[in-house]
Every structure is written in structure tokens, then in C-alpha cells.
Amino acid sequence: MTTLGVLMMAYGTPRSLDEVEAYYTDIRRGRKPSPAELADLVRRYQAIGGVSPLWEITKRQAEAVERALNAQAEPAFRVYLGMKHTAPRIADAVADMRRDGIERAVALVLAPHYSAMSVGTYHEQAREAARDGGPELCCVNQWHLEPRFLDALAARVEEALGQCRRPDEAMVMFTAHSLPARILDMGDPYVDQLHQSGEAVAKRLGLAHYSFGWQSAGRTREPWLGPDLLDSLEALANEGYREVVVCAQGFVADHLEVLYDIDIEAKQRAEELGIRLVRTRQMNDDPDFVRAVADVIERAKRDAG
Ligand code: FEC
């Protein structure tokens, strides 16, 4: 039986504070951060314990998805991990697949919603690496409406509402990473897809109060999608909300943008505003999420024929 490759791609994170400058430079496509920008990012990593758990979680996710894919049939899938901003790079994973004689692979980013500026750039790197010599890639653009993924999100929102004193009066806010607002002029589907998955979860749970917020906007001069989560909290406080459940639906792991931007920065702002902020549990390598990702890959394999 021929082995089908899975090119699983994720953001990547510095493994130590010494790597933060190179990482930040890579994110900024080769432009070094200023000393002040670098110091601020180092400070945020220090606040979450020095390093982000993202790399360890990404590895566990890849291993668990490979096990799930191979559980029912003959082992027929092999997962290769490629990071966008750190080693092992997407190009390294593609080279490893070629070395192992993999001829076809499903390429999947561990981010459910498509934007040309996020998932699209992972795919560009993968296609570029596979251009000479393969493997042939079947790129999954989005999987935000995968039924088991929506179930997993709904279960976590329900669990968080269970921690509220008055769940019926709490606001559920679905957040995702902000992007430059110019994506709106590009016909990019990112905003619509975030609304689609949030609305599907709200429908599953019959939520009366839900809204959408943007987080972790880049520190550049151009306008980013808003309103930012911190400003939204202020507006909610003014409207009389006292409990807010934040569901970071655009992220599938615990990492800096969750552990700092929500758990430290947004919680502190919420407290100042008299709001109790409850964050939903991230997916990490939980079995329900792993099964959802395996479903996405199996469907892509079937669709590719
Ligand atoms: O835990 C960790 O160490 C890594 C957490 C992390 C994840 C992540 C995911 C996304 N990003 C997306 C877009 C952008 C754009 C810029 C940008 C900048 C940063 C910086 C850090 C960072 N991102 Fe990130 N992102 C993570 C970390 N990101 C650190 C730099 C400092 C800062 O701005 O806070 C702006 C680039 C520029 O300046 O030109 C744009 C998107 C995602 C979600 C999809 C995905 O996972 O790929 C979109 C995790």
C-alpha cells in the first residue's frame, strides 16, 4: 500500500528567549525589530514563563492526528510537520517527504479559517518547495465548518458558560487574530468565515448573546481589522455586561496570543471594567479536536480521488 503524506503546517515559536529576535525578524519578512519592539516581545514571553508551549503542543497534535488516521486502516498516512517561522520549516518537511518517496500529500494548516495573508502564505511556501520533484499537494484551504470542529468549539463554549454565575446573561465573544484591514478590499473570505463558524456554534447552543472581536493586531501603522478585544470589552461594560466568555476560535492551541493577549492583558482590562472574563479551553491535542482534523484530512484524500 502506498503511503499518503500529510504536510501539517503551523506557526512555530522560539524555543528560547535567545531565538526571539530571529523569530520576530522572520515574522516581519526580514525586517529586524527595533530594540524597544524586541524588548516588548521578550517581556510578553517572560510573562508566560519564558517560552510558549506552542511547539510541544504542535508536535503532540501531529502525533495524535497520525495515530487517529492510522487507527482504523492499514497504516497508510505519514504526518510531516513544517513551521512557517521556525525549524523544521515547511520546505524541510516537503524535502523529507520527497526523500521518503511520498508522491502525494494533503497539506493542512493548523488554522481553520482561510485568508490569503495567513493560510495562503503557508500554501505558497509548500507549493514552492514541492514545485521541483513533488510531492503532488492537495491543499486544504479552510475547515472552519467541519462538523466535529464545530462540536468541539460548542462543547468548550458550553463548558465556559457553565463557569459563569449567570450564563443566560453572559456575552460570548468569538475572537480571531486581526489582519490588516486591506484584506476587505481584496475579497478575502477570512471575516465571513469567522462569522460562519461563530454563528454555527451560536446556533448549536441557542446563544442569545454573542459577538465577534479581533485580537493581537500587529504593531504596524496601517489599519487592522477591529474593534480590538480590549475596546470591545469596554463597550460591553458600558452596555452592562458583567460576564464575558472569550472563545479564541481562530487558534487551536495554547500560545502567546492566548496565554498573554487573553489570559493576562484582556483579563486585566476586564477586571478594571468590572467584567469577569472566562476563556474557553483551547483544542490542543484533545481527542475530539484530533478526530475533527483527521476527518478533514480523510475528506481531502477522498476528494482528491
Ligand atoms: O506562541 C507563540 O510563540 C506564537 C504565537 C503566535 C501565533 C500567531 C498566529 C497568527 N499570526 C497571524 C498574523 C500575524 C501578522 C503579524 C503577526 C505578528 C506576530 C508577532 C508574534 C506573533 N505574531 Fe502572528 N502569531 C503568533 C505570534 N502575526 C510574536 C510579532 C509581534 C506582535 O505583533 O505581537 C504582523 C506581521 C508584521 O508585523 O508584518 C499579520 C495570524 C495567525 C493565526 C493563523 C496561524 O496560526 O497561522 C493570521 C499562533
Side-chain angles (χ1 to χ4, degrees), residues 33 40 55 63 82 84 108 141 147 149 152-153 159 166 232 235 283-284:
D40 187 59
W55 168 237
E63 286 160 10
K84 193 178 192 183
L108 176 111
N141 279 342
F149 173 63
L153 275 177
E159 180 187 84
R166 295 175 181 271
S232 299
M283 301 289 168
N284 297 330

Side-chain angles (χ1 to χ4, degrees), residues 6 8 61 65 68-69 108-110 143 146 148-149 252 283-284 287-299:
V6 176
M8 188 170 281
Q61 287 173 322
V65 168
L69 287 168
L108 176 111
V109 182
L110 286 172
W143 44 276
E146 182 64 36
R148 281 197 170 100
F149 173 63
V252 299
M283 301 289 168
N284 297 330
D288 55 350
F289 173 67
V290 167
R291 191 56 252 168
V293 174
D295 285 355
V296 175
I297 294 165
E298 280 165 356
R299 178 166 315 108

Side-chain angles (χ1 to χ4, degrees), residues 176-187:
H177 202 296
S178 182
L179 282 175
R182 66 189 140 90
I183 65 159
L184 297 174
D185 303 325
M186 293 161 48

Side-chain angles (χ1 to χ4, degrees), residues 33 51 76 88 183 216 237:
V51 285
I183 65 159
S216 316

